[in-house]
Short mmCIF file of all heavy atoms in Angstrom, two decimals:
data_model
loop_
_atom_site.label_atom_id
_atom_site.label_comp_id
_atom_site.label_asym_id
_atom_site.label_seq_id
_atom_site.Cartn_x
_atom_site.Cartn_y
_atom_site.Cartn_z
N MET A 676 188.76 209.83 41.27
CA MET A 676 188.05 210.92 40.64
C MET A 676 188.51 212.21 41.31
O MET A 676 188.73 212.25 42.51
CB MET A 676 186.54 210.74 40.81
CG MET A 676 185.74 211.87 40.20
SD MET A 676 183.96 211.86 40.55
CE MET A 676 183.47 210.33 39.84
N ASN A 677 188.62 213.27 40.52
CA ASN A 677 189.01 214.57 41.03
C ASN A 677 187.81 215.52 41.09
O ASN A 677 186.82 215.33 40.39
CB ASN A 677 190.09 215.19 40.14
CG ASN A 677 191.39 214.44 40.22
OD1 ASN A 677 191.79 214.01 41.29
ND2 ASN A 677 192.04 214.25 39.09
N CYS A 678 187.93 216.54 41.92
CA CYS A 678 186.90 217.57 42.04
C CYS A 678 186.87 218.38 40.75
O CYS A 678 187.89 218.95 40.33
CB CYS A 678 187.20 218.48 43.23
SG CYS A 678 186.05 219.87 43.39
N TYR A 679 185.72 218.46 40.13
CA TYR A 679 185.56 219.17 38.86
C TYR A 679 185.83 220.66 39.02
O TYR A 679 186.52 221.27 38.20
CB TYR A 679 184.15 218.93 38.31
CG TYR A 679 183.90 219.63 37.00
CD1 TYR A 679 184.39 219.08 35.82
CD2 TYR A 679 183.18 220.81 36.94
CE1 TYR A 679 184.16 219.72 34.61
CE2 TYR A 679 182.96 221.45 35.74
CZ TYR A 679 183.45 220.90 34.57
OH TYR A 679 183.22 221.53 33.38
N THR A 680 185.33 221.27 40.08
CA THR A 680 185.51 222.70 40.30
C THR A 680 186.99 223.03 40.51
O THR A 680 187.49 224.02 39.97
CB THR A 680 184.67 223.17 41.51
OG1 THR A 680 183.30 222.82 41.28
CG2 THR A 680 184.77 224.67 41.70
N CYS A 681 187.68 222.21 41.28
CA CYS A 681 189.11 222.44 41.51
C CYS A 681 189.90 222.33 40.21
O CYS A 681 190.80 223.15 39.96
CB CYS A 681 189.65 221.45 42.54
SG CYS A 681 189.16 221.83 44.23
N ILE A 682 189.59 221.33 39.39
CA ILE A 682 190.29 221.16 38.12
C ILE A 682 190.13 222.41 37.26
O ILE A 682 191.08 222.88 36.63
CB ILE A 682 189.77 219.90 37.37
CG1 ILE A 682 190.19 218.63 38.10
CG2 ILE A 682 190.24 219.88 35.92
CD1 ILE A 682 191.67 218.34 38.10
N LYS A 683 188.92 222.99 37.23
CA LYS A 683 188.69 224.21 36.46
C LYS A 683 189.51 225.38 37.00
O LYS A 683 189.85 226.30 36.27
CB LYS A 683 187.21 224.56 36.45
CG LYS A 683 186.38 223.63 35.56
CD LYS A 683 184.94 224.04 35.51
CE LYS A 683 184.81 225.30 34.71
NZ LYS A 683 183.41 225.72 34.51
N GLU A 684 189.85 225.34 38.30
CA GLU A 684 190.66 226.37 38.93
C GLU A 684 192.15 226.07 38.84
O GLU A 684 192.98 226.81 39.36
CB GLU A 684 190.25 226.53 40.40
CG GLU A 684 188.83 227.01 40.58
CD GLU A 684 188.36 226.97 42.03
OE1 GLU A 684 189.10 226.46 42.91
OE2 GLU A 684 187.24 227.45 42.28
N GLY A 685 192.52 224.96 38.19
CA GLY A 685 193.91 224.60 38.01
C GLY A 685 194.53 223.85 39.18
O GLY A 685 195.74 223.78 39.31
N VAL A 686 193.69 223.29 40.05
CA VAL A 686 194.16 222.56 41.23
C VAL A 686 193.66 221.12 41.13
O VAL A 686 192.56 220.88 40.66
CB VAL A 686 193.60 223.21 42.52
CG1 VAL A 686 194.04 222.45 43.75
CG2 VAL A 686 193.98 224.67 42.61
N THR A 687 194.48 220.18 41.57
CA THR A 687 194.05 218.78 41.60
C THR A 687 193.71 218.41 43.04
O THR A 687 194.56 218.48 43.92
CB THR A 687 195.16 217.86 41.07
OG1 THR A 687 195.47 218.24 39.74
CG2 THR A 687 194.70 216.41 41.09
N MET A 688 192.45 218.07 43.27
CA MET A 688 191.98 217.68 44.60
C MET A 688 191.08 216.47 44.43
O MET A 688 190.23 216.43 43.53
CB MET A 688 191.19 218.83 45.23
CG MET A 688 190.74 218.58 46.64
SD MET A 688 192.06 218.52 47.85
CE MET A 688 192.62 220.19 47.86
N ASP A 689 191.27 215.46 45.28
CA ASP A 689 190.42 214.27 45.22
C ASP A 689 188.97 214.61 45.52
O ASP A 689 188.68 215.40 46.42
CB ASP A 689 190.89 213.21 46.22
CG ASP A 689 192.19 212.56 45.83
OD1 ASP A 689 192.52 212.57 44.62
OD2 ASP A 689 192.87 212.03 46.72
N ALA A 690 188.06 214.00 44.78
CA ALA A 690 186.64 214.13 45.06
C ALA A 690 186.29 213.19 46.21
O ALA A 690 186.78 212.07 46.28
CB ALA A 690 185.81 213.78 43.84
N VAL A 691 185.46 213.67 47.13
CA VAL A 691 185.00 212.85 48.26
C VAL A 691 183.50 212.59 48.18
O VAL A 691 182.95 211.84 48.97
CB VAL A 691 185.35 213.50 49.61
CG1 VAL A 691 186.85 213.61 49.79
CG2 VAL A 691 184.68 214.86 49.75
N ALA A 692 182.86 213.24 47.21
CA ALA A 692 181.41 213.09 47.04
C ALA A 692 181.05 213.37 45.59
O ALA A 692 181.86 213.91 44.82
CB ALA A 692 180.66 214.05 47.96
N VAL A 693 179.82 213.02 45.24
CA VAL A 693 179.29 213.26 43.90
C VAL A 693 177.96 213.99 44.07
O VAL A 693 177.14 213.61 44.91
CB VAL A 693 179.08 211.92 43.16
CG1 VAL A 693 178.40 212.14 41.82
CG2 VAL A 693 180.40 211.20 42.98
N CYS A 694 177.75 215.05 43.28
CA CYS A 694 176.49 215.79 43.35
C CYS A 694 175.33 214.85 43.04
O CYS A 694 175.35 214.13 42.04
CB CYS A 694 176.51 216.96 42.37
SG CYS A 694 174.95 217.87 42.32
N ALA A 695 174.32 214.86 43.90
CA ALA A 695 173.16 213.98 43.75
C ALA A 695 172.33 214.31 42.51
O ALA A 695 171.58 213.47 42.03
CB ALA A 695 172.28 214.06 44.99
N ILE A 696 172.48 215.51 41.96
CA ILE A 696 171.69 215.92 40.80
C ILE A 696 172.46 215.72 39.49
O ILE A 696 171.99 215.04 38.60
CB ILE A 696 171.25 217.40 40.94
CG1 ILE A 696 170.49 217.63 42.24
CG2 ILE A 696 170.43 217.83 39.72
CD1 ILE A 696 169.22 216.82 42.41
N CYS A 697 173.65 216.32 39.37
CA CYS A 697 174.36 216.30 38.09
C CYS A 697 175.49 215.29 38.02
O CYS A 697 176.01 215.01 36.94
CB CYS A 697 174.88 217.69 37.76
SG CYS A 697 176.25 218.25 38.80
N GLY A 698 175.92 214.73 39.16
CA GLY A 698 176.97 213.73 39.17
C GLY A 698 178.39 214.28 39.18
O GLY A 698 179.35 213.53 39.01
N MET A 699 178.55 215.59 39.37
CA MET A 699 179.88 216.21 39.41
C MET A 699 180.66 215.74 40.62
O MET A 699 180.13 215.67 41.72
CB MET A 699 179.71 217.74 39.46
CG MET A 699 181.00 218.51 39.46
SD MET A 699 180.75 220.29 39.69
CE MET A 699 179.73 220.70 38.31
N GLY A 700 181.95 215.40 40.43
CA GLY A 700 182.81 215.04 41.55
C GLY A 700 183.15 216.28 42.36
O GLY A 700 183.44 217.34 41.79
N LEU A 701 183.10 216.17 43.69
CA LEU A 701 183.30 217.33 44.57
C LEU A 701 184.26 217.00 45.70
O LEU A 701 184.18 215.94 46.30
CB LEU A 701 181.96 217.75 45.17
CG LEU A 701 180.86 218.13 44.18
CD1 LEU A 701 179.52 218.13 44.88
CD2 LEU A 701 181.18 219.46 43.55
N CYS A 702 185.15 217.96 46.03
CA CYS A 702 186.00 217.84 47.20
C CYS A 702 185.23 218.38 48.41
O CYS A 702 184.12 218.89 48.28
CB CYS A 702 187.30 218.63 47.00
SG CYS A 702 187.07 220.42 46.95
N LEU A 703 185.83 218.28 49.60
CA LEU A 703 185.15 218.77 50.81
C LEU A 703 184.84 220.26 50.74
O LEU A 703 183.83 220.72 51.26
CB LEU A 703 186.00 218.47 52.04
CG LEU A 703 185.94 217.06 52.58
CD1 LEU A 703 186.90 216.89 53.76
CD2 LEU A 703 184.53 216.69 53.00
N ASP A 704 185.72 221.04 50.10
CA ASP A 704 185.50 222.49 50.02
C ASP A 704 184.33 222.86 49.11
O ASP A 704 183.72 223.91 49.28
CB ASP A 704 186.76 223.20 49.53
CG ASP A 704 187.87 223.17 50.56
OD1 ASP A 704 187.57 223.03 51.77
OD2 ASP A 704 189.05 223.27 50.16
N HIS A 705 184.03 222.03 48.12
CA HIS A 705 182.98 222.37 47.15
C HIS A 705 181.69 221.57 47.33
O HIS A 705 180.70 221.85 46.67
CB HIS A 705 183.52 222.20 45.73
CG HIS A 705 184.56 223.21 45.39
ND1 HIS A 705 185.87 222.87 45.17
CD2 HIS A 705 184.49 224.57 45.31
CE1 HIS A 705 186.57 223.97 44.93
NE2 HIS A 705 185.76 225.02 45.01
N ALA A 706 181.68 220.59 48.21
CA ALA A 706 180.47 219.80 48.47
C ALA A 706 179.55 220.59 49.40
O ALA A 706 179.98 221.12 50.41
CB ALA A 706 180.84 218.47 49.11
N ILE A 707 178.29 220.68 49.02
CA ILE A 707 177.29 221.39 49.82
C ILE A 707 176.27 220.37 50.32
O ILE A 707 175.64 219.67 49.52
CB ILE A 707 176.59 222.47 48.97
CG1 ILE A 707 177.61 223.49 48.46
CG2 ILE A 707 175.48 223.14 49.76
CD1 ILE A 707 177.06 224.46 47.45
N GLU A 708 176.12 220.27 51.62
CA GLU A 708 175.18 219.33 52.23
C GLU A 708 173.87 220.07 52.49
O GLU A 708 173.84 221.07 53.20
CB GLU A 708 175.76 218.81 53.53
CG GLU A 708 174.96 217.70 54.16
CD GLU A 708 175.64 217.15 55.40
OE1 GLU A 708 176.88 217.11 55.45
OE2 GLU A 708 174.90 216.76 56.31
N ARG A 709 172.79 219.59 51.90
CA ARG A 709 171.48 220.24 52.06
C ARG A 709 170.38 219.21 52.26
O ARG A 709 170.45 218.10 51.73
CB ARG A 709 171.13 221.06 50.81
CG ARG A 709 172.00 222.28 50.59
CD ARG A 709 171.64 223.37 51.60
NE ARG A 709 172.41 224.57 51.34
CZ ARG A 709 173.52 224.92 51.98
NH1 ARG A 709 174.01 224.14 52.91
NH2 ARG A 709 174.14 226.02 51.70
N GLU A 710 169.37 219.62 53.03
CA GLU A 710 168.17 218.80 53.16
C GLU A 710 167.25 219.08 51.98
O GLU A 710 167.03 220.24 51.64
CB GLU A 710 167.43 219.13 54.45
CG GLU A 710 167.96 218.40 55.64
CD GLU A 710 167.04 218.50 56.83
OE1 GLU A 710 165.84 218.19 56.69
OE2 GLU A 710 167.54 218.90 57.88
N ILE A 711 166.76 218.03 51.34
CA ILE A 711 165.85 218.17 50.23
C ILE A 711 164.52 217.54 50.63
O ILE A 711 164.49 216.39 51.07
CB ILE A 711 166.40 217.49 48.96
CG1 ILE A 711 167.70 218.17 48.54
CG2 ILE A 711 165.38 217.52 47.83
CD1 ILE A 711 168.36 217.57 47.34
N PRO A 712 163.42 218.29 50.52
CA PRO A 712 162.11 217.74 50.89
C PRO A 712 161.74 216.56 49.99
O PRO A 712 162.05 216.55 48.81
CB PRO A 712 161.14 218.90 50.66
CG PRO A 712 161.96 220.09 50.37
CD PRO A 712 163.35 219.65 50.04
N LEU A 713 161.10 215.56 50.58
CA LEU A 713 160.60 214.42 49.82
C LEU A 713 159.22 214.77 49.28
O LEU A 713 158.44 215.45 49.92
CB LEU A 713 160.51 213.19 50.71
CG LEU A 713 161.83 212.67 51.28
CD1 LEU A 713 161.56 211.53 52.26
CD2 LEU A 713 162.75 212.22 50.18
N VAL A 714 158.93 214.27 48.10
CA VAL A 714 157.63 214.52 47.47
C VAL A 714 156.60 213.60 48.12
O VAL A 714 156.83 212.40 48.27
CB VAL A 714 157.70 214.25 45.96
CG1 VAL A 714 156.33 214.42 45.33
CG2 VAL A 714 158.72 215.17 45.31
N GLN A 715 155.46 214.16 48.50
CA GLN A 715 154.41 213.35 49.12
C GLN A 715 153.64 212.60 48.05
O GLN A 715 153.05 213.20 47.16
CB GLN A 715 153.46 214.24 49.92
CG GLN A 715 152.43 213.45 50.68
CD GLN A 715 151.61 214.33 51.61
OE1 GLN A 715 151.90 215.49 51.77
NE2 GLN A 715 150.61 213.76 52.19
N ARG A 716 153.66 211.27 48.13
CA ARG A 716 152.96 210.45 47.15
C ARG A 716 151.85 209.63 47.77
O ARG A 716 150.95 209.19 47.09
CB ARG A 716 153.95 209.51 46.45
CG ARG A 716 154.93 210.25 45.59
CD ARG A 716 155.85 209.27 44.91
NE ARG A 716 156.84 210.00 44.15
CZ ARG A 716 157.08 209.80 42.88
NH1 ARG A 716 156.45 208.86 42.23
NH2 ARG A 716 157.99 210.51 42.26
N VAL A 717 151.94 209.41 49.05
CA VAL A 717 150.94 208.61 49.75
C VAL A 717 150.37 209.49 50.86
O VAL A 717 151.11 210.17 51.55
CB VAL A 717 151.58 207.33 50.34
CG1 VAL A 717 150.56 206.52 51.10
CG2 VAL A 717 152.23 206.51 49.23
N SER A 718 149.06 209.46 51.05
CA SER A 718 148.43 210.37 52.01
C SER A 718 148.93 210.19 53.44
O SER A 718 148.79 211.08 54.25
CB SER A 718 146.91 210.18 51.97
OG SER A 718 146.58 208.85 52.31
N GLY A 719 149.57 209.07 53.75
CA GLY A 719 150.04 208.82 55.10
C GLY A 719 151.37 209.46 55.44
O GLY A 719 151.78 209.47 56.59
N TRP A 720 152.10 210.00 54.48
CA TRP A 720 153.42 210.58 54.74
C TRP A 720 153.32 211.87 55.51
O TRP A 720 152.48 212.72 55.25
CB TRP A 720 154.14 210.88 53.44
CG TRP A 720 154.77 209.70 52.78
CD1 TRP A 720 154.49 208.39 53.00
CD2 TRP A 720 155.77 209.74 51.78
NE1 TRP A 720 155.25 207.59 52.19
CE2 TRP A 720 156.05 208.40 51.43
CE3 TRP A 720 156.45 210.74 51.14
CZ2 TRP A 720 156.99 208.07 50.47
CZ3 TRP A 720 157.38 210.40 50.18
CH2 TRP A 720 157.65 209.08 49.86
N ALA A 721 154.19 212.05 56.47
CA ALA A 721 154.36 213.34 57.13
C ALA A 721 155.35 214.14 56.30
O ALA A 721 155.95 213.62 55.36
CB ALA A 721 154.88 213.13 58.54
N SER A 722 155.52 215.39 56.62
CA SER A 722 156.51 216.22 55.94
C SER A 722 157.90 215.68 56.27
O SER A 722 158.30 215.66 57.43
CB SER A 722 156.38 217.67 56.39
OG SER A 722 157.36 218.45 55.78
N GLN A 723 158.62 215.20 55.27
CA GLN A 723 159.93 214.59 55.48
C GLN A 723 160.95 215.20 54.53
O GLN A 723 160.60 215.77 53.50
CB GLN A 723 159.86 213.08 55.24
CG GLN A 723 158.96 212.36 56.20
CD GLN A 723 158.93 210.87 55.92
OE1 GLN A 723 159.55 210.38 54.99
NE2 GLN A 723 158.19 210.13 56.72
N SER A 724 162.21 215.05 54.90
CA SER A 724 163.29 215.48 54.01
C SER A 724 164.45 214.50 54.17
O SER A 724 164.46 213.68 55.09
CB SER A 724 163.73 216.90 54.36
OG SER A 724 164.23 216.95 55.67
N THR A 725 165.41 214.61 53.27
CA THR A 725 166.58 213.75 53.33
C THR A 725 167.81 214.56 52.93
O THR A 725 167.71 215.52 52.18
CB THR A 725 166.41 212.52 52.41
OG1 THR A 725 167.50 211.65 52.58
CG2 THR A 725 166.28 212.91 50.96
N MET A 726 168.96 214.21 53.49
CA MET A 726 170.20 214.91 53.18
C MET A 726 170.76 214.48 51.83
O MET A 726 170.73 213.30 51.50
CB MET A 726 171.27 214.63 54.24
CG MET A 726 171.17 215.47 55.44
SD MET A 726 171.23 217.21 55.05
CE MET A 726 171.60 217.81 56.64
N HIS A 727 171.26 215.44 51.07
CA HIS A 727 171.94 215.17 49.81
C HIS A 727 173.18 216.04 49.72
O HIS A 727 173.22 217.13 50.30
CB HIS A 727 171.03 215.50 48.62
CG HIS A 727 170.02 214.45 48.33
ND1 HIS A 727 168.86 214.31 49.04
CD2 HIS A 727 170.01 213.47 47.39
CE1 HIS A 727 168.17 213.30 48.55
NE2 HIS A 727 168.85 212.77 47.56
N ILE A 728 174.16 215.59 48.97
CA ILE A 728 175.34 216.38 48.66
C ILE A 728 175.12 216.97 47.27
O ILE A 728 174.77 216.25 46.33
CB ILE A 728 176.63 215.52 48.67
CG1 ILE A 728 176.82 214.84 50.01
CG2 ILE A 728 177.84 216.36 48.28
CD1 ILE A 728 177.01 215.78 51.18
N LEU A 729 175.31 218.29 47.17
CA LEU A 729 175.08 219.00 45.91
C LEU A 729 176.28 219.86 45.54
O LEU A 729 177.05 220.26 46.42
CB LEU A 729 173.86 219.92 46.03
CG LEU A 729 172.55 219.27 46.46
CD1 LEU A 729 171.51 220.34 46.75
CD2 LEU A 729 172.05 218.32 45.39
N CYS A 730 176.41 220.17 44.25
CA CYS A 730 177.38 221.16 43.82
C CYS A 730 176.72 222.54 43.98
O CYS A 730 175.51 222.65 44.21
CB CYS A 730 177.79 220.93 42.36
SG CYS A 730 176.48 221.21 41.15
N GLU A 731 177.51 223.58 43.86
CA GLU A 731 176.98 224.94 44.04
C GLU A 731 175.89 225.26 43.03
O GLU A 731 174.85 225.83 43.38
CB GLU A 731 178.12 225.95 43.93
CG GLU A 731 177.67 227.38 44.19
CD GLU A 731 178.81 228.38 44.11
OE1 GLU A 731 179.95 227.99 43.82
OE2 GLU A 731 178.54 229.56 44.36
N ARG A 732 176.09 224.91 41.78
CA ARG A 732 175.11 225.22 40.73
C ARG A 732 173.77 224.55 40.98
O ARG A 732 172.72 225.18 40.94
CB ARG A 732 175.64 224.82 39.36
CG ARG A 732 174.66 225.14 38.23
CD ARG A 732 175.20 224.77 36.90
NE ARG A 732 176.29 225.67 36.58
CZ ARG A 732 177.12 225.49 35.56
NH1 ARG A 732 176.99 224.46 34.77
NH2 ARG A 732 178.10 226.34 35.34
N CYS A 733 173.77 223.26 41.29
CA CYS A 733 172.52 222.54 41.54
C CYS A 733 171.84 223.06 42.80
O CYS A 733 170.61 223.16 42.85
CB CYS A 733 172.77 221.04 41.63
SG CYS A 733 173.19 220.30 40.01
N SER A 734 172.61 223.41 43.81
CA SER A 734 172.04 223.97 45.03
C SER A 734 171.32 225.28 44.74
O SER A 734 170.22 225.52 45.24
CB SER A 734 173.17 224.21 46.06
OG SER A 734 172.65 224.74 47.25
N LYS A 735 171.90 226.12 43.88
CA LYS A 735 171.27 227.39 43.50
C LYS A 735 170.00 227.15 42.68
O LYS A 735 168.97 227.79 42.91
CB LYS A 735 172.24 228.25 42.71
CG LYS A 735 173.29 228.89 43.55
CD LYS A 735 174.23 229.74 42.72
CE LYS A 735 175.31 230.35 43.57
NZ LYS A 735 176.28 231.12 42.78
N VAL A 736 170.07 226.23 41.72
CA VAL A 736 168.91 225.94 40.87
C VAL A 736 167.73 225.45 41.70
O VAL A 736 166.57 225.81 41.46
CB VAL A 736 169.28 224.91 39.78
CG1 VAL A 736 168.04 224.36 39.09
CG2 VAL A 736 170.21 225.54 38.76
N LEU A 737 168.02 224.64 42.73
CA LEU A 737 166.97 224.11 43.59
C LEU A 737 166.52 225.11 44.65
O LEU A 737 165.60 224.84 45.42
CB LEU A 737 167.42 222.81 44.26
CG LEU A 737 167.64 221.63 43.33
CD1 LEU A 737 168.25 220.46 44.09
CD2 LEU A 737 166.33 221.21 42.68
N GLY A 738 167.18 226.26 44.72
CA GLY A 738 166.83 227.27 45.71
C GLY A 738 167.24 226.88 47.12
O GLY A 738 166.60 227.26 48.09
N LEU A 739 168.33 226.12 47.24
CA LEU A 739 168.76 225.60 48.54
C LEU A 739 170.06 226.24 49.00
O LEU A 739 170.81 225.65 49.78
CB LEU A 739 168.93 224.08 48.47
CG LEU A 739 167.67 223.30 48.11
CD1 LEU A 739 168.01 221.84 47.86
CD2 LEU A 739 166.63 223.43 49.20
N THR A 740 170.38 227.43 48.54
CA THR A 740 171.61 228.10 48.94
C THR A 740 171.44 228.72 50.32
O THR A 740 170.34 229.02 50.76
CB THR A 740 172.01 229.19 47.93
OG1 THR A 740 170.93 230.11 47.80
CG2 THR A 740 172.35 228.59 46.60
N GLY A 741 172.58 228.95 50.96
CA GLY A 741 172.54 229.63 52.27
C GLY A 741 172.47 228.75 53.38
O GLY A 741 172.38 228.04 54.09
#
């Protein structure tokens, strides 16, 4: 699989990850690693989060840029 963003820029680069939200293939330069809070469903949970790989667009939509 190739990086979708690179292909749009006219470059062929192998994807090393897939966006956890939209499924876009991403190379190391375009993969964004962010902590995403877990939704509390049981009263016993503490505030927790988990790491996800995201594309730039999904990171912005989720407000996780920067």
Side-chain angles (χ1 to χ4, degrees):
M676 178 188 299
N677 293 320
C678 175
Y679 180 79
T680 304
C681 285
I682 291 293
K683 287 183 71 176
E684 296 172 354
V686 179
T687 301
M688 184 68 68
D689 288 337
V691 296
V693 175
C694 177
I696 304 300
C697 71
M699 182 185 301
L701 301 163
C702 68
L703 280 177
D704 291 336
H705 292 114
I707 300 171
E708 187 176 327
R709 292 287 183 262
E710 276 193 52
I711 298 178
L713 297 174
V714 176
Q715 185 172 354
R716 293 181 184 233
V717 178
S718 60
W720 281 19
S722 178
Q723 297 180 358
S724 62
T725 186
M726 277 304 197
H727 281 80
I728 302 297
L729 304 171
C730 68
E731 183 178 2
R732 181 179 291 169
C733 290
S734 180
K735 285 180 182 177
V736 167
L737 293 173
L739 300 171
T740 57

